[in-house]
Amino acid sequence: MAKPVSVEVWNPNGKYRVISTKPMPGTRWINLLIEQDCRVEICTEKKTILSVEDIIALIGNKCDGVIGQLTEDWGDTLFAALSRAGGKAFSNMAVGYNNVDVNAANKYGVAVGNTPGVLTETTAELAASLSLSAARRIVEADEFMRAGLYDGWLPHLFVGNLLKGQTVGVIGAGRIGSAYARMMVEGFKMNLIYYDLYQATRLEKFVTAYGEFLKSNGEQPVYWKRASSMDEVLREADVISLHPVLDKTTYHLINKERLATMKKEAILVNCSRGPVVDEVALVEHLKQNPMFRVGLDVFEDEPFMKPGLAEMKNAIVVPHIASASKWTREGMATLAALNVLGKIKGYPIWGDPNQVAPFLNENAPPPAACPSIVNAKALGLPVSKL
């Protein structure tokens, strides 16, 4: 018998029972569900990560849909439980869904939602923040001040790297990678080298136009280069930000051998997926190269760090907060709720999951569609003509 899990209930007499495994930012997502006759139950257990048994207890005997988190193991066991309870909808409050066995969801006919299109600028901003913080050694300097060690200005105190005129490297020039590149090029007048399987035409045009603008004002122009390999980016760039998908080809993309090819004073930033970086090799490289710096938002065995990483002064580590702006997190909650609601109501699938502005407009009702269902094709779900 599963142990009862504490919940907060909204609209107790609602027709449809929707579970959220965590409290989520904002209240719009709750109101949108209530307006469509949903009973909303929000788990209030004081546990950072719920177990499979906890979530089974939440689902119970009748559940129409679940909003979950990327820390949860959504596989055959949970989708079977949701199906038995009559549920046909699940959504991660995340763009990634590495925690979801989509084949298991297909087996039980459960739609799997995610929340793309709302994290681009927020994630790029954190990558830019980590780049600047590492370059100017801001975290080290902050700790130094708080420890009461500052007793006067010194010529060599926390000397870092100037970004202007340096080269920023981007591996994976999709939406987030391109947004980050634009911030670094325009904000710090850096040159760009990028690697992607597909040509980033809009990004190239942006850098070209900005370079011409600088030149017309008597300043040194900026340039772009599309690399023929990831290794070319690693060799040539002063700051490298990782934005690939995580699959078999990108697991430990950054390993001992590739770290050795990078500049001794390079900066490496990862706001994509933790296993893209071999963390053990990274710790050793940081030890051997004190002027090499890194900014990490994600980790190989999250929430844990590999031994030694926390002690490295040339590493900035933050707890997976790339999407943690108020607007973005509230938007993610709204999109996740609308994915579940849309499947419950039989709505079609929105045509472009990256164009979600109509769902986030608080001054108008959201479209009658599911914002993003990753297995829509496998389930044969119709696409909206809106």
Side-chain angles (χ1 to χ4, degrees):
M1 190 74 178
K3 180 183 175 183
V5 179
S6 61
V7 296
E8 176 185 7
V9 180
W10 295 69
N11 192 31
N13 296 318
K15 179 180 178 181
Y16 307 106
R17 183 170 178 258
V18 174
I19 300 296
S20 176
T21 63
K22 280 282 182 288
M24 299 190 297
T27 57
R28 183 171 181 248
W29 68 274
I30 299 172
N31 293 329
L32 288 169
L33 290 170
I34 289 173
E35 288 166 7
Q36 296 296 323
D37 204 15
C38 292
R39 171 190 169 104
V40 181
E41 296 186 22
I42 303 170
C43 179
T44 55
E45 284 288 306
K46 301 299 182 184
K47 295 175 69 174
T48 301
I49 301 175
L50 296 182
S51 67
V52 168
E53 292 74 21
D54 291 331
I55 298 172
I56 289 174
L58 280 171
I59 290 170
N61 296 322
K62 181 190 180 298
C63 179
D64 295 284
V66 177
I67 303 166
Q69 304 296 324
L70 53 77
T71 53
E72 300 158 4
D73 182 13
W74 278 85
D76 193 277
T77 302
L78 286 182
F79 285 120
L82 182 56
S83 179
R84 285 194 302 270
K88 294 297 179 184
F90 165 79
S91 184
N92 252 5
M93 184 197 150
V95 64
Y97 48 96
N98 298 104
N99 63 309
V100 179
D101 183 342
V102 178
N103 290 328
N106 294 341
K107 173 182 172 182
Y108 294 101
V110 177
V112 175
N114 69 334
T115 63
V118 73
L119 301 93
T120 301
E121 300 296 328
T122 301
T123 303
E125 283 182 3
L126 186 76
S129 300
L130 289 173
S131 301
L132 182 59
S133 296
R136 297 305 302 271
R137 303 175 66 180
I138 291 172
V139 174
E140 290 178 80
D142 178 86
E143 292 175 349
F144 182 84
M145 285 294 295
R146 293 177 190 275
L149 300 174
Y150 181 57
D151 56 7
W153 185 90
L154 289 170
H156 294 292
L157 190 62
F158 294 109
V159 172
N161 298 356
L162 179 70
L163 295 179
K164 181 182 178 183
Q166 300 294 299
T167 298
V168 61
V170 172
I171 295 177
R175 292 182 306 278
I176 296 171
S178 290
Y180 166 82
R182 292 195 304 269
M183 291 176 188
M184 301 305 288
V185 169
E186 186 176 15
F188 302 105
K189 298 176 183 175
M190 299 185 77
N191 296 307
L192 169 69
I193 181 171
Y194 80 92
Y195 175 79
D196 198 286
L197 295 176
Y198 302 97
Q199 185 173 6
T201 306
R202 291 180 64 188
L203 176 58
E204 292 174 359
K205 289 180 177 178
F206 174 88
V207 179
T208 299
Y210 186 57
E212 291 172 351
F213 167 78
L214 291 174
K215 189 175 181 180
S216 70
N217 284 275
E219 296 188 62
Q220 181 70 27
V222 292
Y223 301 98
W224 62 266
K225 176 183 178 182
R226 184 184 179 192
S228 59
S229 68
M230 288 179 281
D231 296 292
E232 187 178 356
V233 176
L234 296 175
R235 286 194 306 269
E236 296 187 13
D238 301 287
V239 180
I240 298 103
S241 191
L242 306 174
H243 300 280
V245 297
L246 175 62
D247 58 24
K248 292 178 181 178
T249 68
T250 59
Y251 177 78
H252 282 189
L253 177 76
I254 303 300
N255 55 24
K256 179 180 179 180
E257 291 73 25
R258 282 189 161 136
L259 285 165
T261 68
M262 297 172 67
K263 295 180 179 181
K264 294 294 185 183
E265 295 187 5
I267 293 166
L268 178 67
V269 173
N270 188 18
C271 292
S272 61
R273 295 288 183 266
V276 168
V277 176
D278 180 345
E279 223 167 275
V280 171
L282 177 63
V283 170
E284 190 60 33
H285 191 76
L286 289 166
K287 288 178 181 177
Q288 295 177 3
N289 299 275
M291 294 309 295
F292 184 95
R293 292 189 280 277
V294 66
L296 301 176
D297 179 54
V298 288
F299 305 90
E300 192 170 351
D301 296 321
E302 204 164 309
F304 307 106
M305 292 186 287
K306 294 294 187 184
L309 183 58
E311 288 73 52
M312 301 311 301
K313 293 292 186 182
N314 47 344
I316 299 173
V317 290
V318 295
H320 205 143
I321 58 170
S323 66
S325 69
K326 183 175 183 292
W327 181 85
T328 295
R329 288 283 172 90
E330 289 184 1
M332 292 165 68
T334 294
L335 294 173
L338 291 175
N339 281 330
V340 170
L341 177 64
K343 185 63 174 67
I344 290 172
K345 303 290 283 187
Y347 294 158
I349 311 305
W350 189 244
D352 186 348
N354 293 305
Q355 301 297 327
V356 295
F359 295 97
L360 304 178
N361 180 4
E362 298 187 14
N363 298 316
C370 300
S372 178
I373 301 296
V374 301
N375 59 341
K377 187 174 182 180
L379 297 181
L381 303 178
V383 176
S384 171
K385 292 182 172 59
L386 294 174

